[in-house]
Amino acid sequence: MTKIWELVEKVIAHSRTVLVYGPPGTGKSFAAHAANLAGRQLFSVTLTEETPAAELRGHFVPQGSQFVWQDGPALKAWRFGGRLVLNEIDHASGDALSFLLNCLDSQETACLTLPTGEMVKPHPQFQAVATQNGKPEDLPEALLDRFPARIEINEAHPDGIKSLPVDLQQAAAGSVVADPARRITLRAWKCFADLRDKIGAEAAAMAVFNSRAGDILDGLKIAKGA
Amino acid sequence: MKTYPLVEAVDSRPWVIRAGSGCIDPVNREMRVPLGSSGADRHVRAHEMAHVKITPKVSPIKQCKKFGVSDQALQICEDLRVHSYLRHCGVNGSPVLSQAEADSWMLKADIRGKAAFLVASTFTPDFDLGVHALRQQLPGNEVDDLLSKVALISRRLHSGKGLYRPIGLRNCTVPGARLFESLFPEDADVVAGNGDIPLQQLIGKEMRGGRSVPWGEMKINKISPHDMRPISRFGQRKVFTDEGACLRAPYRLPVDGRVFVRKKRAMGGTILLDCSGSMHLKEQELHEILRAAPAATVAIYSARRRSGTLTIVGEKGKLASMAAIIEAKNLSGQSNVIDGPCLHWLAQQAAPRLWVSDGLVTGLGDQASIDLAAEAQNICRRGGIRRVAKASAVTEFLRESRPR
């Protein structure tokens, strides 16, 4: 485990809110889901500009002749002390953002009054891990203030690299964090590795890397040596 | 759509990649390559990636200074090593040049330039284009000679240890570059010396593992003046002429009219004789050398396995007795071993400089090596040393080169 990923593990184990950011395909979401769950229940949401607050908080659903309240993932995490993973938090809509400001407030002041009239306080074990590809400065100041612990990821997750065949590991580790024009995500490498076993290296490279296929194959041959 | 090389596969550290014609800055980890999608562009990218993999990450200028070879020789031999590596990896390149470009290059280049093209393009499709162009421009035997020399360089390069690792630059590329310098000297047209060594004879005699042996240690020995005997008149000679400013022989007026005198400096120079087992020294030949060039310095050398002696047997018209010469020779040994240091000594003596040797140079342990042969050849070129195979040829050369 490298230093940065060790840090992510340690901070997730002890901090109520954590923001993990960096290039796509480095294993941020993987770490947010897997690191030190400690028996917590996991709730994961990927935010978009269309995601309403109701999807996070909860809403009424028809049941027979009446409407019953159903908790959303954020509220469930609040109630049961679970971990809420917020993917792409920088894409959150204004509606979702205002809910999140309240949801991620400190343990002492956070409090939600549901449309049912119920007042909910967060469970002491509640935890939120947010991930994004952009820089933290892109987030509104108030939301940023909810994430005092922010970790920039500049290398691929070692477990993700280890899951690849040995001959791809160095190339994947370097290309995941290369310039955007040269970047190849862990998902692409994983897909290439799987396809290579089934349809051959040339065809797999053509399918996954398109115009870079020839250079990728050359690079792998040169790195391997024979 | 730009296409980038996967340099991350060959070096875990981050590299900057920019558009360019094809070069790397190993110190700042910057690569300039064409980013197009053609086969030639892809070949250049693969070439530079191979450089990243096997070329040491130090300044090429420092390497040239360190190893004492020219930038061009080092670069083309390193390109040869890179192309060999690409072939070894199964990366087949596309031609970078067209036939017309290869023809034009070969037409403009001198023999060194032609050889440089062939060395740098070995194991690529461009090599065939170059050979085709050469066959249009040069007679067949000249092309074959050139190709055999290029093959010799390639063979030397491939005999080194760690060919496909960064250490291969020192073990393989540098000896190859030295051999290139030796076979195709930069100043071939103006060079005074002709120390050509039959390098072809040394093929396969290089050390196992490619590491060349060093030269042995040389000591300089002078024979006692008591053992030196005058052979010819040394110094200036009078020459009578029918024109001049110094009237010294009026008595010759009725005879041949050559009443003027001009002083003529005696022929000198330095002759170094290889007295190893493969060479045979005759007293008569030494006498003839000193008669032909009274002011010449004559030295012999031979060695045992680790060291040897250079003995000055004749100078200023005097020659050591044969008994003293044989004694000196017996004391010294029967091997070459110190050819390099002796040639360095010769290069510092008065011209013309002649080296009487069969050219089969050896280093420590009497080990033959193509590297040592190339080094000896380079010393000859730089020092204006001419090699002749037999002592009998020395007098002939001295007579021919005597000013009239």
Side-chain angles (χ1 to χ4, degrees), chain B residues 47-92:
Chain B
H47 176 97
E48 299 306 333
M49 273 197 281
H51 268 302
V52 173
K53 175 78 178 174
I54 66 170
T55 301
K57 313 281 184 297
V58 288
S59 159
I61 298 165
K62 279 186 186 169
Q63 299 277 18
C64 292
K65 277 187 184 168
K66 182 179 172 186
F67 296 115
V69 290
S70 73
D71 181 32
Q72 185 197 26
L74 194 72
Q75 196 176 330
I76 58 163
C77 288
E78 187 63 357
D79 281 349
L80 166 57
R81 191 165 73 98
V82 158
H83 290 143
S84 170
Y85 180 66
L86 286 176
R87 192 185 63 155
H88 171 73
C89 297
V91 177
N92 301 313

Side-chain angles (χ1 to χ4, degrees), chain A residues 170-171 174-175 178-179 181-182 184 189 211-212 214-226, chain B residues 1 3-12 15 17 42 45-46 49-50 53 85-86 88-91:
Chain A
Q170 186 183 325
S175 62
D179 298 339
R182 292 156 51 198
I184 302 171
W189 282 113
S211 63
R212 283 190 75 188
D215 287 84
I216 303 288
L217 292 174
D218 286 350
L220 292 174
K221 283 178 188 172
I222 291 166
K224 195 177 174 189
Chain B
M1 179 80 181
T3 311
Y4 291 90
L6 185 69
V7 69
E8 297 82 15
V10 289
D11 190 359
S12 54
W15 279 70
I17 299 178
R42 179 180 159 188
R45 290 193 291 269
M49 273 197 281
K53 175 78 178 174
Y85 180 66
L86 286 176
H88 171 73
C89 297
V91 177

